[in-house]
Amino acid sequence: QVRPRAVRVMSTAWAGTLKSLDQFRVVSKDLTQGSLTGGIFTALAYGLLVILLIAEVGAFFRTQYRTNVVMDSNAEMTMQINFDITLYDLPCKYLKLGVWDKFGQEQLNSTDKFVYIPMDHKGQMKGTAYTPEEITVLEQVDGQGDISEEEKKELDADWSSSDDHWKHHDFKRAVTFHDFTLVNFYAEWCIHCRQFFPTWMEASNRISDKMQFTTAEGTQVTVKFLRINCVDFQAHCQEAQIPAFPNLRLYKRDGTFETFNQKRTPDNIITFLTTSVRNSHMMAAKHHMMFSEGCQVQGTLHVPRVPGHFHLQAEAFGSVNLNPAYTNVSHIVNHLSFGSKDNQAWAARQGIPKDMIQHINPLDGKIFIVERFHEAPQHYLKVVTTHIEGQGRSFYQMTHTDRTRKLKNVLATQAPQARFSYDFSPMSVDVKVKQRRWYEFMTSLFAILGGTFTVVELCSGAVDTVQVAVKDALGKSN
């Protein structure tokens, strides 16, 4: 009996000591009073606590990443390129795949495997070959959009002298630049040319680029007047086989012409132009598909880890007469990535941010179309190695820009290439996992609890104070 009593005495003493240390003393309910305002703010505090606790717990369990940019230490000698590209208007038998590094050496390994899948146009119009007339017209139309104002002025200027400031080097382009061009071939020593000059100037001022004429299709067009001095430009006149001076020819855009053989008066010239234009059929040429099928090519390339490119273009096959320069390399990129084929799925499983995953294959599903001859989409890729801390594997992000390359002048005889140029960044991205420690979470949790109740208590006290002040003021006024 003595021992239990001693234990009770010690317990009582400890309890008294702990009570004396209490910093959270409780006021008896008999001395407190509930209020409607306090109830509203208490409910609001509980609601805020629930929301903040859910957000805090979610942030604690959510994996975050921190990135650093450092010099790339990747020592791999080769790089794998995975591609799946569909060319809309180039059959597989005409398709050539080429790979080149920066030093100009082709790097197609025998281990590289490609799959060529013929693709139809899904009921669209079957492709047909371009006629020579269509090519001539389309070349002229396409070329108009590429000339500068200075070049246009030169094409519209008379070929009066080889000593003027114009170059006058492309006779065919000058006489076929407009839909219709009336050309006056003359020689300075010719007396008939001198006598005809005032009549020509009168007709030119009335008609050239001013008077409307109607074609066989009902289209309204104008006629451009142009003079060529066959003394200074004898070679061009001989090539055009000019038999006498003055000689008037009406050239059409396709290079064909009609010769004026009537009496040289303004009215006769107008009559000649009206009749010739009315009897002319303007070729409504437009770009179309040449073939009835396209080609989907897919596979992998193993290339040296140096800047380079791979390209898709046409080349003749067997006994088929194909002009690669007029082929169309419009395409859709079904897939293009560097490194392992499953990099995107692997990165997604690691919880890598979506903006990084999107840069693994940013071209997937994108379409690149060209509308004219001698044009080709060109792609420029910058490849960046990305490491994940704690993982023995890397993946590759890339940035992409593109443009449409136009092959002009001498280059116009070359085959257009859908080219993918790539370069490897000397910098790499290190991705580190950033997780909150448990004590940081607990500190934040207590801060939320204390802060919420403190702020709500202050707001409730302020409202009560205002209410009391208002009541006192109303009582005094009464």
Side-chain angles (χ1 to χ4, degrees):
Q1 294 180 352
V2 176
R3 182 171 295 177
R5 183 179 299 174
V7 171
R8 287 197 298 271
V9 171
M10 292 181 64
S11 298
T12 304
W14 276 107
T17 303
L18 290 175
K19 286 182 179 180
S20 66
L21 294 175
D22 183 13
Q23 300 298 317
F24 306 99
R25 298 176 183 270
V26 178
V27 180
S28 175
K29 287 187 177 181
D30 297 334
L31 301 177
T32 61
Q33 180 181 0
S35 65
L36 178 61
T37 303
I40 293 175
F41 276 97
T42 300
L44 180 61
Y46 284 137
L48 288 174
L49 279 175
V50 171
I51 295 174
L52 292 173
L53 285 175
I54 292 175
E56 188 67 18
V57 172
F60 177 70
F61 288 103
R62 188 182 305 117
T63 301
Q64 295 181 343
Y65 291 91
R66 182 177 60 191
T67 59
N68 292 323
V69 178
V70 298
M71 291 296 296
D72 190 8
S73 59
N74 194 327
E76 296 179 355
M77 298 300 295
T78 61
M79 171 62 70
Q80 177 176 311
I81 304 177
N82 315 296
F83 66 93
D84 183 351
I85 302 170
T86 299
L87 285 92
Y88 291 114
D89 192 33
L90 190 59
C92 294
K93 63 182 178 181
Y94 300 132
L95 179 60
K96 176 186 177 182
L97 173 64
V99 184
W100 298 79
D101 62 25
K102 186 177 181 179
F103 306 103
Q105 298 178 348
E106 196 165 6
Q107 298 289 343
L108 274 177
N109 296 332
S110 59
T111 57
D112 295 326
K113 296 181 180 180
F114 314 111
V115 178
Y116 296 87
I117 306 173
M119 306 290 290
D120 59 26
H121 296 319
K122 297 182 179 180
Q124 299 179 7
M125 180 185 2
K126 290 187 176 181
T128 55
Y130 287 101
T131 64
E133 292 77 14
E134 284 182 308
I135 292 176
T136 300
V137 173
L138 289 172
E139 288 274 26
Q140 292 291 335
V141 174
D142 292 349
Q144 285 187 356
D146 298 330
I147 66 172
S148 63
E149 286 297 323
E150 190 69 17
E151 290 175 322
K152 185 177 183 302
K153 292 179 181 179
E154 178 175 334
L155 291 171
D156 287 341
D158 287 337
W159 289 39
S160 301
S161 171
S162 58
D163 295 330
D164 59 18
H165 64 285
W166 305 114
K167 297 179 181 178
H168 298 313
H169 62 276
D170 195 339
F171 170 79
K172 181 178 180 181
R173 192 179 184 190
V175 298
T176 60
F177 180 66
H178 298 275
D179 290 331
F180 294 90
T181 304
L182 183 64
V183 182
N184 176 12
F185 296 92
Y186 71 97
E188 294 176 338
W189 48 261
C190 172
I191 185 61
H192 301 290
C193 298
R194 296 177 183 176
Q195 293 174 349
F196 175 59
F197 179 73
T199 303
W200 169 264
M201 294 304 298
E202 178 185 351
S204 177
N205 292 332
R206 289 175 55 187
I207 303 170
S208 181
D209 288 333
K210 299 181 181 69
M211 188 174 293
Q212 297 285 331
F213 298 92
T214 305
T215 66
E217 292 82 10
T219 305
Q220 296 294 312
V221 297
T222 59
V223 178
K224 174 65 181 177
F225 278 41
L226 187 69
R227 297 176 72 232
I228 295 183
N229 184 349
C230 288
V231 174
D232 282 19
F233 302 99
Q234 182 177 1
H236 294 290
C237 294
Q238 289 178 350
E239 183 179 356
Q241 298 180 352
I242 304 302
F245 306 107
N247 190 293
L248 302 184
R249 287 183 178 179
L250 178 64
Y251 281 87
K252 294 191 293 185
R253 189 183 291 278
D254 60 4
T256 60
F257 63 88
E258 293 183 37
T259 303
F260 177 80
N261 293 316
Q262 305 172 26
K263 186 177 180 180
R264 292 184 288 272
T265 65
D267 292 337
N268 285 345
I269 292 176
I270 293 175
T271 301
F272 166 74
L273 294 177
T274 302
T275 303
S276 298
V277 173
R278 184 174 61 243
N279 294 333
S280 298
H281 293 270
M282 299 290 291
M283 178 175 289
K286 62 180 181 180
H287 291 278
H288 55 76
M289 290 187 174
M290 294 177 61
F291 306 101
S292 59
E293 66 179 32
C295 182
Q296 179 180 359
V297 55
Q298 52 187 223
T300 59
L301 296 168
H302 294 86
V303 299
R305 195 180 169 86
V306 296
H309 75 267
F310 70 93
H311 61 263
L312 303 168
Q313 69 177 70
E315 68 175 358
F317 173 80
S319 60
V320 177
N321 184 15
L322 172 71
N323 187 348
Y326 293 104
T327 52
N328 189 325
V329 289
S330 297
H331 58 271
I332 177 174
V333 180
N334 304 308
H335 177 74
L336 180 65
S337 64
F338 288 77
S340 178
K341 290 182 180 180
D342 65 341
N343 271 341
Q344 187 176 31
W346 178 80
R349 290 195 300 269
Q350 303 301 315
I352 300 299
K354 290 184 179 179
D355 58 341
M356 287 190 180
I357 296 177
Q358 291 173 352
H359 282 92
I360 295 177
N361 46 4
L363 272 72
D364 287 15
K366 292 189 176 181
I367 299 174
F368 302 91
I369 301 294
V370 292
E371 300 289 349
R372 304 190 299 178
F373 293 141
H374 316 302
E375 292 185 349
Q378 306 276 288
H379 306 273
Y380 301 88
L381 310 171
K382 177 69 75 171
V383 183
V384 182
T385 305
T386 306
H387 306 280
I388 301 180
E389 185 182 36
Q391 302 287 343
R393 175 174 173 177
S394 303
F395 65 93
Y396 298 91
Q397 300 183 77
M398 60 178 166
T399 60
H400 167 257
T401 56
D402 66 272
R403 71 180 182 96
T404 299
R405 185 188 183 194
K406 299 179 180 180
L407 303 175
K408 298 181 179 180
N409 303 326
V410 179
L411 297 178
T413 59
Q414 299 180 3
Q417 295 179 349
R419 177 176 293 193
F420 296 81
S421 300
Y422 51 84
D423 190 10
F424 300 97
S425 173
M427 312 301 291
S428 65
V429 177
D430 280 354
V431 181
K432 296 183 179 180
V433 178
K434 183 181 180 182
Q435 292 182 326
R436 296 179 63 186
R437 292 179 171 85
W438 66 269
Y439 55 83
E440 293 177 340
F441 169 71
M442 294 302 297
T443 302
S444 178
L445 194 63
F446 290 146
I448 290 174
L449 291 173
T452 302
F453 274 106
T454 300
V455 171
V456 172
E457 185 179 10
L458 290 173
C459 293
S460 177
V463 171
D464 287 338
T465 301
V466 171
Q467 287 180 344
V468 171
V470 171
K471 288 179 180 179
D472 292 344
L474 292 175
K476 290 180 180 179
S477 63
N478 292 331

